[in-house]
Amino acid sequence: MRKPKGIRMVSALCLGCFIMVIFYFNSSLKPEPLGERSSGQKSRRSPLQTLYEGDQAESAVQAIHQGRRELLEEACRSYTRKRRVLIPEDLKHVIVDDQHGLLYCYVPKVACTNWKRVLMVLTGVSGDHKDPLAIPANEAHVPGNLRTLSEYSTAEINQRLRSYLKFVFVREPFERLVSAYRNKFTRSYNTAFHKRYGTKIVRRHRLDPQPEALEKGNDVSFEEFVYYLVDPATQREEPFNEHWERVHSLCHPCLIHYDVVGKYETLEQDSRYVLQLAGVDEQLRFPTSSKSTRTTGDMAADFFKNISPFYQKKLYNLYRMDFLLFNYSVPAYLKFR
């Protein structure tokens, strides 16, 4: 006996929905490899394929990065309780290079200027500049020069997260923090930061401030900066500036599976590794820094000498996740233990 027309239509519709769901999950499980063209013609191997499907013998560098990925995954399982869905706001620091299949989450004070210069050369937005160091530092930070993942549609975001090599560079948290303080509060040319943050810090955390300090905010001490960071009112009022925001809040390493976690301490080696995976290491070198003013561990220890154990502990708790996720030990110079 034939089914009524209405029942046949409902059955067909349900079957169609089922097929669509299966296709969705199949496409999620089998992302389209970047290294193949839609016509079936083989093209170059993508950085992600080179990393996970390469047939070369495992090198010491590969082993180091596999170890870092495993440590990060284990730390995420151990120290994060709730999983949530990524939103576009989370992806504003993730720079996209569609030509080479790269996603780079930039962290201020961790060689991000040079990485942006490199990506400007790779994506062609640098114009005639083929040497990253020929690009002025301020030009590297101009909004719009490089696209971020937050600018794409949901489908485009998911496709890139599946198919592109995702990398981030991190640094010992307190060395990065001291570097940010030195750059933004002790340099006379950073008047914008002095006005924006220095005046607020002086007003809130200095007893009997002078009128000039209240107006200019150009003589903030490291102790006052620490008081500002650990003050609960600071983050209630607005998010941290990216230069002292925690890496896990900028790059969300427990939501985004980073394939390469580079470290500032091994910057040259790790940068060369990323460029090798991208297949551009013969045409482009990551700029090496010869700065003698670079913030070191000993320098950070000097800055912390005048911070009481009570505030050292509060500051460590604030940056604790960055220490744990990226396998940095508690600095020996801290006194609260």
Side-chain angles (χ1 to χ4, degrees), residues 152-278:
Y152 291 76
S153 71
T154 300
E156 291 170 330
I157 289 171
N158 287 330
Q159 189 272 328
R160 283 159 178 77
L161 286 172
R162 289 196 309 266
S163 303
Y164 286 14
L165 182 87
K166 300 168 290 295
F167 69 100
V168 61
F169 275 75
V170 301
R171 184 177 185 178
E172 201 280 339
F174 283 171
E175 287 183 27
R176 175 175 171 250
L177 186 65
V178 170
S179 177
Y181 165 76
R182 293 179 65 218
N183 180 253
K184 300 307 176 187
F185 294 104
T186 69
R187 304 288 191 265
S188 59
Y189 54 79
N190 266 324
T191 54
F193 269 81
H194 301 161
K195 280 282 190 181
R196 175 74 175 79
Y197 297 101
T199 55
K200 182 185 299 183
I201 293 171
V202 169
R203 187 171 65 252
R204 288 185 180 178
H205 300 288
R206 183 178 300 179
L207 293 174
D208 301 322
Q210 296 297 312
E212 184 179 1
L214 286 169
E215 181 188 352
K216 295 183 176 180
N218 61 354
D219 63 345
V220 171
S221 70
F222 185 65
E223 294 95 316
E224 291 167 335
F225 180 51
V226 169
Y227 300 154
Y228 164 78
L229 292 173
V230 302
D231 182 354
T234 298
Q235 288 194 80
R236 283 200 302 266
E237 186 177 87
E238 62 180 346
F240 276 169
N241 180 274
E242 63 178 11
H243 291 85
W244 48 84
E245 179 60 280
R246 286 71 53 93
V247 176
H248 75 269
S249 295
L250 293 175
C251 295
H252 308 283
C254 293
L255 298 177
I256 298 173
H257 176 82
Y258 286 99
D259 306 294
V260 176
V261 178
K263 293 202 170 187
Y264 192 73
E265 296 79 11
T266 50
L267 176 62
E268 189 172 348
Q269 172 182 282
D270 295 343
S271 298
R272 184 167 59 248
Y273 182 57
V274 172
L275 295 177
Q276 286 173 347
L277 291 172

Side-chain angles (χ1 to χ4, degrees), residues 91 94-96 103 147-152 157 160-161:
L91 305 172
V94 181
I95 294 172
V96 181
L103 296 178
R147 293 193 71 184
T148 64
L149 197 55
S150 61
E151 300 172 37
Y152 291 76
I157 289 171
R160 283 159 178 77
L161 286 172

Side-chain angles (χ1 to χ4, degrees), residues 13-221:
L13 181 61
C14 290
L15 179 61
C17 292
F18 177 74
I19 292 171
M20 287 178 67
V21 170
I22 293 296
F23 176 78
Y24 170 78
F25 281 112
N26 278 343
S27 66
S28 297
L29 292 170
K30 297 179 181 179
E32 179 184 351
L34 187 69
E36 296 183 8
R37 302 187 191 275
S38 57
S39 64
Q41 177 186 357
K42 294 287 183 181
S43 66
R44 65 176 178 83
R45 186 185 289 271
S46 77
L48 197 64
Q49 289 172 320
T50 302
L51 178 63
Y52 291 111
E53 301 174 13
D55 53 5
Q56 69 272 26
E58 182 176 286
S59 68
V61 175
Q62 286 175 302
I64 288 170
H65 286 280
Q66 181 177 341
R68 289 179 186 171
R69 287 194 299 272
E70 291 171 355
L71 283 169
L72 177 56
E73 290 171 7
E74 179 58 35
C76 287
R77 285 193 295 269
S78 299
Y79 300 111
T80 58
R81 297 177 183 176
K82 294 182 179 179
R83 303 278 295 180
R84 65 174 180 81
V85 176
L86 281 167
I87 59 174
E89 184 73 21
D90 298 328
L91 305 172
K92 287 187 172 181
H93 271 244
V94 181
I95 294 172
V96 181
D97 176 1
D98 281 323
Q99 294 180 41
H100 300 88
L102 300 174
L103 296 178
Y104 162 59
C105 186
Y106 74 90
V107 179
K109 309 312 299 177
V110 193
C112 76
T113 301
N114 280 342
W115 263 115
K116 286 180 179 181
R117 285 166 161 159
V118 167
L119 288 167
M120 286 176 71
V121 172
L122 289 178
T123 57
V125 301
S126 62
D128 295 332
H129 294 310
K130 301 304 177 187
D131 176 9
L133 285 178
I135 302 171
N138 63 318
E139 192 175 320
H141 298 293
V142 172
N145 273 346
L146 295 164
R147 293 193 71 184
T148 64
L149 197 55
S150 61
E151 300 172 37
Y152 291 76
S153 71
T154 300
E156 291 170 330
I157 289 171
N158 287 330
Q159 189 272 328
R160 283 159 178 77
L161 286 172
R162 289 196 309 266
S163 303
Y164 286 14
L165 182 87
K166 300 168 290 295
F167 69 100
V168 61
F169 275 75
V170 301
R171 184 177 185 178
E172 201 280 339
F174 283 171
E175 287 183 27
R176 175 175 171 250
L177 186 65
V178 170
S179 177
Y181 165 76
R182 293 179 65 218
N183 180 253
K184 300 307 176 187
F185 294 104
T186 69
R187 304 288 191 265
S188 59
Y189 54 79
N190 266 324
T191 54
F193 269 81
H194 301 161
K195 280 282 190 181
R196 175 74 175 79
Y197 297 101
T199 55
K200 182 185 299 183
I201 293 171
V202 169
R203 187 171 65 252
R204 288 185 180 178
H205 300 288
R206 183 178 300 179
L207 293 174
D208 301 322
Q210 296 297 312
E212 184 179 1
L214 286 169
E215 181 188 352
K216 295 183 176 180
N218 61 354
D219 63 345
V220 171
S221 70

